[in-house]
Amino acid sequence: MSKLLTTRRSVLRTGAAAGAGLAMPTIFTASSVAAFTNDPTGSSVTLGFNVPQSGPYADEGADELRAYELAVEHLNGGGDGGMMNTFSSKVLDGTGILGKKVEYVTGDTQTKSDAARASARSMIEKDGAVMITGGSSSGVAIAVQGLCQEAGVIFMAGLTHSNDTTGKDKKANGFRHFFNGYMSAAALAPVLAARYGTDRTAYHLTADYTWGWTQEESIAAATEALGWNTVEKVRTPLASTDFSSYIAPVLNSGADVLVLNHYGGNMVNSLTNAVQFGLREKVVNGKNFEIVVPLYSRLMARGAGANVKGIFGSTNWHWSLTDEGSQAFVRSFGTKYGFPPSQAAHTVYCQTLLYADAVQRAGSFNPCAVAEALEGFDFDGLGNGPTHYRAGDHQCFKDVLVVKGKENPENEFDLLEIVEITPRAQVEYAVDHPMFAGGDLGACNGGA
C-alpha cells in the first residue's frame, strides 16, 4: 500500500485508542480505505489555531493569532497577498485551499500541556479542524503533536524550540518550521567566544521543562567545546514570576556569565531581577560580568526594556531583514496591525502557507498526502532564505540569526540588531545526532 494510504488500523478500530478520545468510524470497505479525519466535503475547510492566550507566553500567542488571521485573509484572496507573492512555490492563488474558503477556530493553550490537548481535541472533534497549528511552549507543542498523530490530522508546529520536538518526540504527522536549541547554540557559541573570550565560567538558570533542558544542554555543550566552563545549572518552574532567589546565588558562584534559558515573561522577569541585583556592573575573574539569552524575540526585548541592551542571543527571524519575502510580510502585517511582526508571527504565518501549499500540490487534504508533499520540500521566498523540510525528522533547516539588544534604538520596535546571519550549513546536524536520539518518526496516520 502506498504511503499516502497508510493508516493505523488499531487506532481506527477502537476509535479512542492511545488516549485520542476521538469518535472515529470502525467500518472499513474498499471504498473507504483512503478516507481520513475531518475530510472537508463542503465549500470551506477549517483550521485550528491553538495558542497561549493566557500564561507566561501570552504576548507571543497574541501575535501568533494576528499572523494566522492575516494568513487566512491572504489565502482567501484578501489584502495584498503578503508572502504568497514571494514564495517560490506558485500554486496558491487566493481562492482558498483547493478552492475551499479557509475558516478557523481558536483555542487557549494557557501554556499548559493538558489544556492545549483538550483545546486541540475540541477543535478536531467538535469543529472538524483538518489541521492544528500553534503553541509557544515546547511542552505544549509536543503534547499536541502527539494528539494530532493519534487523531490523524497534520500538526504544523508554531513556536517550539526544544530539540525533542523533532528529536525523541518527533511524529510523522508533525512538522516544525522554527529552529531549535541545537541550532541556537551552533550559531551563538562562536560569537560569544569571539566577543567574550574562551576562558569563561557560566551559570545557567533554566526553565524546568523540555525546552529549557535541551536549550541548556545545547548551549553548555557548544560553549564548553570552545573552552568555557559550566559551574552550575539550576532549574526554575515555568510558573515563576520572581527570580530573585535564583539570582542571589550567582553572585557567590565564581561565574562570570549568566545564561538565562528562559523565554517570554520568564525571561523578562529573570533578566530584570539580574539587572536589579547589579550583575551587569560586576567584575568577576577579572572580566566584566555578562548575561546571555540564547533564545530572543522582539516581544521579550520590549518587555525587558533597556535591560536588553548589549545582550546576545539568537532568533529565528527579524522584521529588519531586507529580503523580498521578509519585507512583504512586514508590509502586510504592519498595514493591518500598525506595528512590525515578531518571530512568532512570522513562523506561524509561514506554517499556514506551507500547509496550504502542500495540500494544493498534493491535490488532497489527506494528511498522508500532505506529509508526503512536505517531506524533502525545498523552498525560498518566506524570509529565511533557501529552506529545506527534512524528510527524516520533519525539521526545517535555514539560516539562523544572532542578535543583540540595541544600544540606541530609534523607536519602540527597534530593539534588536542582527550581528550575524549564520549560514544553514553551520547549524545542520545528522538525524541520529545524540541530542536528537530516541523516538521514532513512525508512519503517517490518516485517521478515519
PDB file of all heavy atoms in Angstrom, residues 183-217:
ATOM      1  N   MET A 183      20.502  24.437  17.112  1.00  0.00           N
ATOM      2  CA  MET A 183      20.816  25.444  16.100  1.00  0.00           C
ATOM      3  C   MET A 183      21.187  26.775  16.743  1.00  0.00           C
ATOM      4  O   MET A 183      22.115  27.454  16.293  1.00  0.00           O
ATOM      5  CB  MET A 183      19.622  25.634  15.159  1.00  0.00           C
ATOM      6  CG  MET A 183      19.287  24.427  14.312  1.00  0.00           C
ATOM      7  SD  MET A 183      17.797  24.760  13.333  1.00  0.00           S
ATOM      8  CE  MET A 183      17.639  23.200  12.457  1.00  0.00           C
ATOM      9  N   SER A 184      20.464  27.161  17.808  1.00  0.00           N
ATOM     10  CA  SER A 184      20.807  28.392  18.523  1.00  0.00           C
ATOM     11  C   SER A 184      22.235  28.323  19.050  1.00  0.00           C
ATOM     12  O   SER A 184      23.012  29.277  18.916  1.00  0.00           O
ATOM     13  CB  SER A 184      19.846  28.605  19.699  1.00  0.00           C
ATOM     14  OG  SER A 184      18.608  29.094  19.254  1.00  0.00           O
ATOM     15  N   ALA A 185      22.565  27.199  19.662  1.00  0.00           N
ATOM     16  CA  ALA A 185      23.898  27.046  20.241  1.00  0.00           C
ATOM     17  C   ALA A 185      24.979  27.046  19.171  1.00  0.00           C
ATOM     18  O   ALA A 185      26.041  27.665  19.345  1.00  0.00           O
ATOM     19  CB  ALA A 185      23.957  25.753  21.058  1.00  0.00           C
ATOM     20  N   ALA A 186      24.730  26.368  18.065  1.00  0.00           N
ATOM     21  CA  ALA A 186      25.722  26.286  16.986  1.00  0.00           C
ATOM     22  C   ALA A 186      25.993  27.663  16.384  1.00  0.00           C
ATOM     23  O   ALA A 186      27.121  27.964  15.966  1.00  0.00           O
ATOM     24  CB  ALA A 186      25.235  25.324  15.900  1.00  0.00           C
ATOM     25  N   ALA A 187      24.966  28.510  16.350  1.00  0.00           N
ATOM     26  CA  ALA A 187      25.132  29.857  15.799  1.00  0.00           C
ATOM     27  C   ALA A 187      25.728  30.812  16.831  1.00  0.00           C
ATOM     28  O   ALA A 187      26.596  31.632  16.515  1.00  0.00           O
ATOM     29  CB  ALA A 187      23.785  30.389  15.320  1.00  0.00           C
ATOM     30  N   LEU A 188      25.281  30.696  18.068  1.00  0.00           N
ATOM     31  CA  LEU A 188      25.609  31.676  19.095  1.00  0.00           C
ATOM     32  C   LEU A 188      26.977  31.472  19.736  1.00  0.00           C
ATOM     33  O   LEU A 188      27.704  32.448  20.001  1.00  0.00           O
ATOM     34  CB  LEU A 188      24.526  31.638  20.171  1.00  0.00           C
ATOM     35  CG  LEU A 188      24.570  32.677  21.284  1.00  0.00           C
ATOM     36  CD1 LEU A 188      24.567  34.095  20.725  1.00  0.00           C
ATOM     37  CD2 LEU A 188      23.371  32.467  22.226  1.00  0.00           C
ATOM     38  N   ALA A 189      27.356  30.230  20.005  1.00  0.00           N
ATOM     39  CA  ALA A 189      28.590  29.963  20.755  1.00  0.00           C
ATOM     40  C   ALA A 189      29.836  30.591  20.122  1.00  0.00           C
ATOM     41  O   ALA A 189      30.640  31.213  20.835  1.00  0.00           O
ATOM     42  CB  ALA A 189      28.777  28.456  20.938  1.00  0.00           C
ATOM     43  N   PRO A 190      30.047  30.472  18.809  1.00  0.00           N
ATOM     44  CA  PRO A 190      31.239  31.102  18.220  1.00  0.00           C
ATOM     45  C   PRO A 190      31.257  32.621  18.377  1.00  0.00           C
ATOM     46  O   PRO A 190      32.320  33.221  18.564  1.00  0.00           O
ATOM     47  CB  PRO A 190      31.158  30.701  16.738  1.00  0.00           C
ATOM     48  CG  PRO A 190      30.325  29.463  16.718  1.00  0.00           C
ATOM     49  CD  PRO A 190      29.316  29.674  17.800  1.00  0.00           C
ATOM     50  N   VAL A 191      30.088  33.243  18.333  1.00  0.00           N
ATOM     51  CA  VAL A 191      30.004  34.690  18.512  1.00  0.00           C
ATOM     52  C   VAL A 191      30.347  35.058  19.956  1.00  0.00           C
ATOM     53  O   VAL A 191      31.088  36.016  20.212  1.00  0.00           O
ATOM     54  CB  VAL A 191      28.602  35.205  18.137  1.00  0.00           C
ATOM     55  CG1 VAL A 191      28.470  36.695  18.453  1.00  0.00           C
ATOM     56  CG2 VAL A 191      28.321  34.955  16.660  1.00  0.00           C
ATOM     57  N   LEU A 192      29.841  34.294  20.913  1.00  0.00           N
ATOM     58  CA  LEU A 192      30.139  34.553  22.319  1.00  0.00           C
ATOM     59  C   LEU A 192      31.632  34.398  22.604  1.00  0.00           C
ATOM     60  O   LEU A 192      32.229  35.206  23.324  1.00  0.00           O
ATOM     61  CB  LEU A 192      29.342  33.598  23.214  1.00  0.00           C
ATOM     62  CG  LEU A 192      27.822  33.742  23.185  1.00  0.00           C
ATOM     63  CD1 LEU A 192      27.175  32.692  24.076  1.00  0.00           C
ATOM     64  CD2 LEU A 192      27.397  35.143  23.623  1.00  0.00           C
ATOM     65  N   ALA A 193      32.245  33.361  22.043  1.00  0.00           N
ATOM     66  CA  ALA A 193      33.674  33.139  22.252  1.00  0.00           C
ATOM     67  C   ALA A 193      34.498  34.277  21.650  1.00  0.00           C
ATOM     68  O   ALA A 193      35.497  34.718  22.237  1.00  0.00           O
ATOM     69  CB  ALA A 193      34.085  31.802  21.645  1.00  0.00           C
ATOM     70  N   ALA A 194      34.068  34.756  20.490  1.00  0.00           N
ATOM     71  CA  ALA A 194      34.797  35.848  19.836  1.00  0.00           C
ATOM     72  C   ALA A 194      34.666  37.153  20.618  1.00  0.00           C
ATOM     73  O   ALA A 194      35.628  37.930  20.710  1.00  0.00           O
ATOM     74  CB  ALA A 194      34.279  36.030  18.412  1.00  0.00           C
ATOM     75  N   ARG A 195      33.494  37.410  21.196  1.00  0.00           N
ATOM     76  CA  ARG A 195      33.256  38.668  21.910  1.00  0.00           C
ATOM     77  C   ARG A 195      33.746  38.630  23.352  1.00  0.00           C
ATOM     78  O   ARG A 195      34.258  39.621  23.858  1.00  0.00           O
ATOM     79  CB  ARG A 195      31.759  38.997  21.903  1.00  0.00           C
ATOM     80  CG  ARG A 195      31.155  39.170  20.512  1.00  0.00           C
ATOM     81  CD  ARG A 195      31.786  40.309  19.719  1.00  0.00           C
ATOM     82  NE  ARG A 195      31.242  40.419  18.385  1.00  0.00           N
ATOM     83  CZ  ARG A 195      30.345  41.326  18.015  1.00  0.00           C
ATOM     84  NH1 ARG A 195      29.906  42.204  18.894  1.00  0.00           N
ATOM     85  NH2 ARG A 195      29.883  41.352  16.777  1.00  0.00           N
ATOM     86  N   TYR A 196      33.569  37.490  24.026  1.00  0.00           N
ATOM     87  CA  TYR A 196      33.854  37.416  25.458  1.00  0.00           C
ATOM     88  C   TYR A 196      35.078  36.566  25.811  1.00  0.00           C
ATOM     89  O   TYR A 196      35.474  36.515  26.983  1.00  0.00           O
ATOM     90  CB  TYR A 196      32.639  36.850  26.206  1.00  0.00           C
ATOM     91  CG  TYR A 196      31.390  37.667  26.055  1.00  0.00           C
ATOM     92  CD1 TYR A 196      30.130  37.066  26.023  1.00  0.00           C
ATOM     93  CD2 TYR A 196      31.439  39.061  25.952  1.00  0.00           C
ATOM     94  CE1 TYR A 196      28.975  37.807  25.897  1.00  0.00           C
ATOM     95  CE2 TYR A 196      30.289  39.813  25.815  1.00  0.00           C
ATOM     96  CZ  TYR A 196      29.055  39.179  25.787  1.00  0.00           C
ATOM     97  OH  TYR A 196      27.909  39.927  25.651  1.00  0.00           O
ATOM     98  N   GLY A 197      35.658  35.895  24.822  1.00  0.00           N
ATOM     99  CA  GLY A 197      36.816  35.056  25.080  1.00  0.00           C
ATOM    100  C   GLY A 197      36.427  33.613  25.368  1.00  0.00           C
ATOM    101  O   GLY A 197      35.259  33.295  25.608  1.00  0.00           O
ATOM    102  N   THR A 198      37.417  32.749  25.356  1.00  0.00           N
ATOM    103  CA  THR A 198      37.166  31.321  25.558  1.00  0.00           C
ATOM    104  C   THR A 198      37.371  30.883  27.005  1.00  0.00           C
ATOM    105  O   THR A 198      37.076  29.742  27.358  1.00  0.00           O
ATOM    106  CB  THR A 198      38.090  30.494  24.649  1.00  0.00           C
ATOM    107  OG1 THR A 198      39.456  30.852  24.909  1.00  0.00           O
ATOM    108  CG2 THR A 198      37.775  30.744  23.183  1.00  0.00           C
ATOM    109  N   ASP A 199      37.874  31.769  27.856  1.00  0.00           N
ATOM    110  CA  ASP A 199      38.106  31.450  29.264  1.00  0.00           C
ATOM    111  C   ASP A 199      36.988  32.073  30.096  1.00  0.00           C
ATOM    112  O   ASP A 199      37.161  33.097  30.765  1.00  0.00           O
ATOM    113  CB  ASP A 199      39.475  31.979  29.709  1.00  0.00           C
ATOM    114  CG  ASP A 199      39.783  31.641  31.160  1.00  0.00           C
ATOM    115  OD1 ASP A 199      39.173  30.680  31.682  1.00  0.00           O
ATOM    116  OD2 ASP A 199      40.607  32.345  31.768  1.00  0.00           O
ATOM    117  N   ARG A 200      35.830  31.427  30.056  1.00  0.00           N
ATOM    118  CA  ARG A 200      34.658  31.947  30.748  1.00  0.00           C
ATOM    119  C   ARG A 200      34.010  30.873  31.624  1.00  0.00           C
ATOM    120  O   ARG A 200      34.105  29.667  31.326  1.00  0.00           O
ATOM    121  CB  ARG A 200      33.622  32.453  29.740  1.00  0.00           C
ATOM    122  CG  ARG A 200      33.967  33.828  29.154  1.00  0.00           C
ATOM    123  CD  ARG A 200      33.703  34.928  30.163  1.00  0.00           C
ATOM    124  NE  ARG A 200      33.927  36.269  29.618  1.00  0.00           N
ATOM    125  CZ  ARG A 200      33.531  37.378  30.228  1.00  0.00           C
ATOM    126  NH1 ARG A 200      32.914  37.317  31.401  1.00  0.00           N
ATOM    127  NH2 ARG A 200      33.787  38.556  29.690  1.00  0.00           N
ATOM    128  N   THR A 201      33.330  31.310  32.687  1.00  0.00           N
ATOM    129  CA  THR A 201      32.640  30.400  33.592  1.00  0.00           C
ATOM    130  C   THR A 201      31.163  30.761  33.616  1.00  0.00           C
ATOM    131  O   THR A 201      30.802  31.893  33.969  1.00  0.00           O
ATOM    132  CB  THR A 201      33.227  30.493  35.018  1.00  0.00           C
ATOM    133  OG1 THR A 201      34.624  30.178  34.970  1.00  0.00           O
ATOM    134  CG2 THR A 201      32.524  29.507  35.948  1.00  0.00           C
ATOM    135  N   ALA A 202      30.317  29.817  33.226  1.00  0.00           N
ATOM    136  CA  ALA A 202      28.894  30.091  33.032  1.00  0.00           C
ATOM    137  C   ALA A 202      28.025  29.456  34.116  1.00  0.00           C
ATOM    138  O   ALA A 202      28.303  28.356  34.612  1.00  0.00           O
ATOM    139  CB  ALA A 202      28.448  29.591  31.667  1.00  0.00           C
ATOM    140  N   TYR A 203      26.975  30.172  34.458  1.00  0.00           N
ATOM    141  CA  TYR A 203      25.947  29.723  35.400  1.00  0.00           C
ATOM    142  C   TYR A 203      24.628  29.734  34.632  1.00  0.00           C
ATOM    143  O   TYR A 203      24.252  30.755  34.053  1.00  0.00           O
ATOM    144  CB  TYR A 203      25.893  30.694  36.584  1.00  0.00           C
ATOM    145  CG  TYR A 203      25.084  30.263  37.780  1.00  0.00           C
ATOM    146  CD1 TYR A 203      25.704  29.972  38.985  1.00  0.00           C
ATOM    147  CD2 TYR A 203      23.683  30.199  37.733  1.00  0.00           C
ATOM    148  CE1 TYR A 203      24.973  29.605  40.116  1.00  0.00           C
ATOM    149  CE2 TYR A 203      22.944  29.829  38.848  1.00  0.00           C
ATOM    150  CZ  TYR A 203      23.595  29.543  40.043  1.00  0.00           C
ATOM    151  OH  TYR A 203      22.871  29.175  41.152  1.00  0.00           O
ATOM    152  N   HIS A 204      23.908  28.601  34.617  1.00  0.00           N
ATOM    153  CA  HIS A 204      22.662  28.507  33.857  1.00  0.00           C
ATOM    154  C   HIS A 204      21.440  28.542  34.772  1.00  0.00           C
ATOM    155  O   HIS A 204      21.376  27.804  35.760  1.00  0.00           O
ATOM    156  CB  HIS A 204      22.617  27.190  33.067  1.00  0.00           C
ATOM    157  CG  HIS A 204      23.517  27.137  31.893  1.00  0.00           C
ATOM    158  ND1 HIS A 204      23.050  27.143  30.591  1.00  0.00           N
ATOM    159  CD2 HIS A 204      24.868  27.078  31.797  1.00  0.00           C
ATOM    160  CE1 HIS A 204      24.078  27.080  29.747  1.00  0.00           C
ATOM    161  NE2 HIS A 204      25.193  27.038  30.465  1.00  0.00           N
ATOM    162  N   LEU A 205      20.477  29.384  34.444  1.00  0.00           N
ATOM    163  CA  LEU A 205      19.134  29.303  35.003  1.00  0.00           C
ATOM    164  C   LEU A 205      18.225  28.820  33.881  1.00  0.00           C
ATOM    165  O   LEU A 205      18.219  29.413  32.790  1.00  0.00           O
ATOM    166  CB  LEU A 205      18.663  30.660  35.523  1.00  0.00           C
ATOM    167  CG  LEU A 205      19.326  31.173  36.812  1.00  0.00           C
ATOM    168  CD1 LEU A 205      18.717  32.511  37.217  1.00  0.00           C
ATOM    169  CD2 LEU A 205      19.195  30.163  37.936  1.00  0.00           C
ATOM    170  N   THR A 206      17.457  27.771  34.155  1.00  0.00           N
ATOM    171  CA  THR A 206      16.783  27.063  33.076  1.00  0.00           C
ATOM    172  C   THR A 206      15.334  26.760  33.389  1.00  0.00           C
ATOM    173  O   THR A 206      15.022  26.203  34.455  1.00  0.00           O
ATOM    174  CB  THR A 206      17.530  25.726  32.812  1.00  0.00           C
ATOM    175  OG1 THR A 206      18.890  26.017  32.459  1.00  0.00           O
ATOM    176  CG2 THR A 206      16.870  24.936  31.711  1.00  0.00           C
ATOM    177  N   ALA A 207      14.439  27.116  32.481  1.00  0.00           N
ATOM    178  CA  ALA A 207      13.023  26.759  32.609  1.00  0.00           C
ATOM    179  C   ALA A 207      12.903  25.244  32.705  1.00  0.00           C
ATOM    180  O   ALA A 207      13.437  24.515  31.858  1.00  0.00           O
ATOM    181  CB  ALA A 207      12.238  27.290  31.417  1.00  0.00           C
ATOM    182  N   ASP A 208      12.191  24.775  33.703  1.00  0.00           N
ATOM    183  CA  ASP A 208      12.171  23.345  34.025  1.00  0.00           C
ATOM    184  C   ASP A 208      11.134  22.575  33.203  1.00  0.00           C
ATOM    185  O   ASP A 208      10.122  22.100  33.720  1.00  0.00           O
ATOM    186  CB  ASP A 208      11.918  23.169  35.520  1.00  0.00           C
ATOM    187  CG  ASP A 208      12.184  21.738  35.995  1.00  0.00           C
ATOM    188  OD1 ASP A 208      12.798  20.964  35.238  1.00  0.00           O
ATOM    189  OD2 ASP A 208      11.778  21.411  37.129  1.00  0.00           O
ATOM    190  N   TYR A 209      11.399  22.482  31.914  1.00  0.00           N
ATOM    191  CA  TYR A 209      10.599  21.631  31.038  1.00  0.00           C
ATOM    192  C   TYR A 209      11.419  21.357  29.781  1.00  0.00           C
ATOM    193  O   TYR A 209      12.550  21.825  29.649  1.00  0.00           O
ATOM    194  CB  TYR A 209       9.232  22.248  30.738  1.00  0.00           C
ATOM    195  CG  TYR A 209       9.201  23.402  29.766  1.00  0.00           C
ATOM    196  CD1 TYR A 209       8.687  23.238  28.479  1.00  0.00           C
ATOM    197  CD2 TYR A 209       9.659  24.670  30.128  1.00  0.00           C
ATOM    198  CE1 TYR A 209       8.642  24.294  27.582  1.00  0.00           C
ATOM    199  CE2 TYR A 209       9.605  25.735  29.242  1.00  0.00           C
ATOM    200  CZ  TYR A 209       9.103  25.533  27.969  1.00  0.00           C
ATOM    201  OH  TYR A 209       9.058  26.577  27.082  1.00  0.00           O
ATOM    202  N   THR A 210      10.872  20.612  28.858  1.00  0.00           N
ATOM    203  CA  THR A 210      11.651  20.066  27.742  1.00  0.00           C
ATOM    204  C   THR A 210      12.459  21.108  26.978  1.00  0.00           C
ATOM    205  O   THR A 210      13.606  20.859  26.604  1.00  0.00           O
ATOM    206  CB  THR A 210      10.731  19.288  26.767  1.00  0.00           C
ATOM    207  OG1 THR A 210      11.504  18.804  25.653  1.00  0.00           O
ATOM    208  CG2 THR A 210       9.587  20.161  26.241  1.00  0.00           C
ATOM    209  N   TRP A 211      11.882  22.298  26.739  1.00  0.00           N
ATOM    210  CA  TRP A 211      12.666  23.304  26.023  1.00  0.00           C
ATOM    211  C   TRP A 211      13.888  23.734  26.822  1.00  0.00           C
ATOM    212  O   TRP A 211      15.006  23.742  26.324  1.00  0.00           O
ATOM    213  CB  TRP A 211      11.839  24.552  25.673  1.00  0.00           C
ATOM    214  CG  TRP A 211      12.763  25.637  25.221  1.00  0.00           C
ATOM    215  CD1 TRP A 211      13.497  25.640  24.062  1.00  0.00           C
ATOM    216  CD2 TRP A 211      13.150  26.812  25.936  1.00  0.00           C
ATOM    217  NE1 TRP A 211      14.314  26.762  24.010  1.00  0.00           N
ATOM    218  CE2 TRP A 211      14.114  27.489  25.147  1.00  0.00           C
ATOM    219  CE3 TRP A 211      12.768  27.354  27.153  1.00  0.00           C
ATOM    220  CZ2 TRP A 211      14.692  28.691  25.547  1.00  0.00           C
ATOM    221  CZ3 TRP A 211      13.344  28.554  27.552  1.00  0.00           C
ATOM    222  CH2 TRP A 211      14.297  29.219  26.751  1.00  0.00           C
ATOM    223  N   GLY A 212      13.681  24.104  28.079  1.00  0.00           N
ATOM    224  CA  GLY A 212      14.791  24.559  28.896  1.00  0.00           C
ATOM    225  C   GLY A 212      15.894  23.521  28.997  1.00  0.00           C
ATOM    226  O   GLY A 212      17.084  23.842  28.880  1.00  0.00           O
ATOM    227  N   TRP A 213      15.502  22.260  29.195  1.00  0.00           N
ATOM    228  CA  TRP A 213      16.504  21.204  29.338  1.00  0.00           C
ATOM    229  C   TRP A 213      17.381  21.079  28.099  1.00  0.00           C
ATOM    230  O   TRP A 213      18.605  20.983  28.197  1.00  0.00           O
ATOM    231  CB  TRP A 213      15.829  19.856  29.607  1.00  0.00           C
ATOM    232  CG  TRP A 213      14.863  19.842  30.748  1.00  0.00           C
ATOM    233  CD1 TRP A 213      14.877  20.638  31.862  1.00  0.00           C
ATOM    234  CD2 TRP A 213      13.711  19.002  30.866  1.00  0.00           C
ATOM    235  NE1 TRP A 213      13.815  20.348  32.672  1.00  0.00           N
ATOM    236  CE2 TRP A 213      13.074  19.354  32.096  1.00  0.00           C
ATOM    237  CE3 TRP A 213      13.157  18.000  30.081  1.00  0.00           C
ATOM    238  CZ2 TRP A 213      11.911  18.704  32.539  1.00  0.00           C
ATOM    239  CZ3 TRP A 213      12.006  17.360  30.528  1.00  0.00           C
ATOM    240  CH2 TRP A 213      11.391  17.719  31.736  1.00  0.00           C
ATOM    241  N   THR A 214      16.743  21.067  26.918  1.00  0.00           N
ATOM    242  CA  THR A 214      17.532  20.848  25.702  1.00  0.00           C
ATOM    243  C   THR A 214      18.279  22.109  25.285  1.00  0.00           C
ATOM    244  O   THR A 214      19.355  22.027  24.694  1.00  0.00           O
ATOM    245  CB  THR A 214      16.655  20.336  24.539  1.00  0.00           C
ATOM    246  OG1 THR A 214      15.695  21.325  24.167  1.00  0.00           O
ATOM    247  CG2 THR A 214      15.952  19.047  24.903  1.00  0.00           C
ATOM    248  N   GLN A 215      17.734  23.294  25.602  1.00  0.00           N
ATOM    249  CA  GLN A 215      18.472  24.528  25.331  1.00  0.00           C
ATOM    250  C   GLN A 215      19.716  24.592  26.216  1.00  0.00           C
ATOM    251  O   GLN A 215      20.801  24.949  25.754  1.00  0.00           O
ATOM    252  CB  GLN A 215      17.588  25.743  25.580  1.00  0.00           C
ATOM    253  CG  GLN A 215      18.300  27.082  25.432  1.00  0.00           C
ATOM    254  CD  GLN A 215      18.842  27.320  24.046  1.00  0.00           C
ATOM    255  OE1 GLN A 215      18.156  27.816  23.179  1.00  0.00           O
ATOM    256  NE2 GLN A 215      20.104  26.963  23.805  1.00  0.00           N
ATOM    257  N   GLU A 216      19.558  24.256  27.490  1.00  0.00           N
ATOM    258  CA  GLU A 216      20.686  24.236  28.419  1.00  0.00           C
ATOM    259  C   GLU A 216      21.764  23.257  27.954  1.00  0.00           C
ATOM    260  O   GLU A 216      22.954  23.589  27.918  1.00  0.00           O
ATOM    261  CB  GLU A 216      20.194  23.843  29.806  1.00  0.00           C
ATOM    262  CG  GLU A 216      21.275  23.677  30.858  1.00  0.00           C
ATOM    263  CD  GLU A 216      20.724  23.030  32.112  1.00  0.00           C
ATOM    264  OE1 GLU A 216      20.206  23.769  32.978  1.00  0.00           O
ATOM    265  OE2 GLU A 216      20.796  21.780  32.225  1.00  0.00           O
ATOM    266  N   GLU A 217      21.341  22.057  27.593  1.00  0.00           N
ATOM    267  CA  GLU A 217      22.287  21.048  27.122  1.00  0.00           C
ATOM    268  C   GLU A 217      23.036  21.537  25.882  1.00  0.00           C
ATOM    269  O   GLU A 217      24.258  21.373  25.768  1.00  0.00           O
ATOM    270  CB  GLU A 217      21.540  19.748  26.791  1.00  0.00           C
ATOM    271  CG  GLU A 217      22.430  18.645  26.231  1.00  0.00           C
ATOM    272  CD  GLU A 217      21.650  17.451  25.720  1.00  0.00           C
ATOM    273  OE1 GLU A 217      20.452  17.609  25.368  1.00  0.00           O
ATOM    274  OE2 GLU A 217      22.230  16.346  25.664  1.00  0.00           O
TER     275      GLU A 217
END
